[in-house]
Amino acid sequence: MELREYRPEDCPAQLDAWADGRVDLAAWDRSFRAHLTLVAAEGETPVGFGDMDGTGYLDRLYVHRDWQGRGVAAALCDALEGRVAAERFVTHASLTARPFFARRGYRVVREQQVERHGVLLTNFVMEKRRQRW
């Protein structure tokens, strides 16, 4: 597996992971390009991706189900956190992602409810301060 920067031709694969079928491909591509977006690939096949803006906000993190538990998410987070010059990192973690981020040193700032397609979902605003050595 290698990590590389996002390319516009990656956008359809990213949308397969995140979108609900009614998407604006150009808007998603702009969003990915506006952030530092990294793709984990096995050969030419994307197996995961993550993106972070310049403030340290980790917007999206996804690993294909066949690649979960193999260190892909950790490698993406390590690379994003290492390349973005922010004092702190913030994400909105799902119930299932919360333990992953807690192991990485993120702490829960608050629990919140977000609505997606008429369904209320619980997620957690989590934050991690940059380690200084």
Side-chain angles (χ1 to χ4, degrees):
M1 178 197 71
E2 73 167 307
L3 297 183
R4 61 169 171 76
E5 291 200 15
Y6 167 82
R7 301 183 298 236
E9 58 268 22
D10 293 323
C11 195
Q14 265 66 320
L15 291 180
D16 284 344
W18 277 91
D20 63 3
R22 296 166 297 170
V23 299
D24 181 342
L25 189 66
W28 276 78
D29 179 58
R30 280 191 304 275
S31 174
F32 287 129
R33 286 186 290 116
H35 296 168
L36 170 60
T37 302
L38 299 177
V39 175
E42 181 64 29
E44 289 300 312
T45 305
V47 298
F49 68 91
D51 67 298
M52 185 177 280
D53 71 14
T55 70
Y57 176 64
L58 177 62
D59 192 0
R60 293 163 285 226
L61 180 64
Y62 169 80
V63 176
H64 186 279
R65 72 176 186 275
D66 294 342
W67 283 81
Q68 291 178 1
R70 295 176 159 187
V72 176
L76 286 163
C77 286
D78 287 347
L80 291 166
E81 291 170 5
R83 290 179 58 184
V84 172
E87 290 300 313
R88 67 185 183 110
F89 305 106
V90 175
T91 194
H92 295 184
S94 67
L95 283 166
T96 56
R98 180 181 171 182
F100 167 80
F101 286 106
R103 286 190 304 273
R104 293 188 57 79
Y106 284 74
R107 66 174 185 80
V108 173
V109 175
R110 71 180 175 279
E111 181 178 323
Q112 62 185 9
Q113 300 284 312
V114 294
E115 187 224 330
R116 295 289 185 265
H117 307 291
V119 177
L120 285 178
L121 303 171
T122 299
N123 75 14
F124 302 89
V125 177
M126 298 183 77
E127 145 182 299
K128 172 183 170 178
R129 296 275 172 198
R130 178 179 290 283
Q131 294 287 337
R132 295 289 178 205
W133 303 101

